Amino acid sequence: MVADNAYIARRLHLLGEWDAALAALGPDADPELRAEIAVDQWFFQMEGHDDAEKAVAALDPDAPATRLLIARLAYSRLLFGRDARPDDRAVSEAGYRVAARAPDDTLRGWAEFHWGVLLDLVDKDPGAALPHYETALDIARSLGDGYLESYAIRHIAQQKAPDEAIPLFRRSLHLRAAFGARPQVLAAQAALAYNLPEDDPERAILMETFRAGAKELRIGWLLSED
């Protein structure tokens, strides 16, 4: 039953049904899965920060996976300007450094990706971020991990000329759709839409689609340009 509950929670997590995913977890559920879902909910909905922090605090504080989650919380506080703490920048990079040295290739890939995003979106240094994105992409392709690839190429695309960027934005969207990750699909639709010409009919369709989904899932930052 515990395994079944975990499976249900993971599927609900992919759909952006974070409350339902957390509710599906039983008392004996994997605490790392609970923390991962709670951190994602905070990032997408800007709700439940204290619950997410509490869930992360229940994990081994020295484990690379825990350090990654701690770093993600610190990064999101900085990015969205929500109760940022004086040491959030240092905590975030330190956590990514630890996770990037983990023996688990998947964890290393995500650490490199998130490290790049910190440099890119918080430090405003896309040049420093690019090698981290490229490392994450190399790891993703070596593992056949299309989900991680979708994240890496979406941010690499931001540094490309339009003729190179648009195919990458489209591939990111298709990879996420194949994985069934609804919040990430909405974000990919938004990224593609904002990089298409304003008179492109596809842009209007994407705008309508991702905004409707973002309202349903309460992803406010996807609606910030309304």
Side-chain angles (χ1 to χ4, degrees):
M1 181 59 71
V2 172
D4 289 345
N5 287 347
Y7 174 79
I8 291 168
R10 289 186 184 280
R11 302 310 298 177
L12 290 168
H13 182 194
L14 284 174
L15 294 174
E17 299 291 344
W18 296 281
D19 286 330
L22 291 169
L25 292 173
D28 297 324
D30 177 3
E32 187 174 323
L33 175 58
R34 185 184 301 279
E36 181 184 343
I37 294 171
V39 168
D40 258 10
Q41 180 173 32
W42 156 249
F43 179 80
F44 279 100
Q45 293 186 322
M46 293 286 100
E47 296 175 5
H49 175 274
D50 291 347
D51 289 338
E53 195 164 42
K54 181 179 178 180
V56 173
L59 306 176
D60 175 359
D62 297 321
T66 306
R67 295 295 299 273
L68 180 60
L69 291 173
I70 292 170
R72 288 179 56 198
L73 279 174
Y75 159 78
S76 61
R77 289 192 295 265
L78 287 170
L79 181 67
F80 295 115
R82 299 289 293 269
D83 300 319
R85 302 166 187 175
D87 63 346
D88 274 345
R89 174 63 181 76
V91 166
S92 186
E93 182 158 4
Y96 296 145
R97 285 183 183 276
V98 170
R101 296 195 297 268
D104 183 308
D105 285 341
T106 298
L107 186 60
R108 287 196 308 108
W110 283 109
E112 289 286 353
F113 166 75
H114 285 293
W115 194 349
V117 175
L118 175 70
L119 296 169
D120 194 353
L121 301 186
V122 172
D123 292 358
K124 309 299 183 184
D125 190 348
L130 186 58
H132 294 281
Y133 293 150
E134 291 175 337
T135 298
L137 179 58
D138 288 344
I139 293 171
R141 287 178 171 166
S142 71
L143 296 173
D145 187 339
Y147 189 50
L148 175 56
E149 180 184 345
S150 79
Y151 272 82
I153 62 174
R154 176 252 184 275
H155 284 267
I156 290 172
Q158 293 289 164
Q159 301 192 36
K160 300 290 186 180
D163 62 330
E164 295 180 89
I166 295 301
L168 292 177
F169 284 123
R170 283 211 173 91
R171 178 169 174 78
S172 177
L173 172 56
H174 295 326
L175 288 170
R176 293 178 180 196
F179 198 75
R182 191 180 180 206
Q184 289 79 5
V185 166
L186 297 174
Q189 288 176 324
L192 176 56
Y194 286 122
N195 282 277
L196 290 172
E198 291 190 4
D199 60 350
D200 190 322
E202 184 183 9
R203 176 186 171 106
I205 294 170
L206 288 167
M207 289 281 192
E208 179 183 4
T209 304
F210 86 74
R211 285 175 172 166
K215 287 176 181 176
E216 181 185 343
L217 296 185
R218 306 195 310 277
I219 305 176
W221 50 264
L222 274 178
L223 302 169
S224 61
E225 299 193 41
D226 276 4

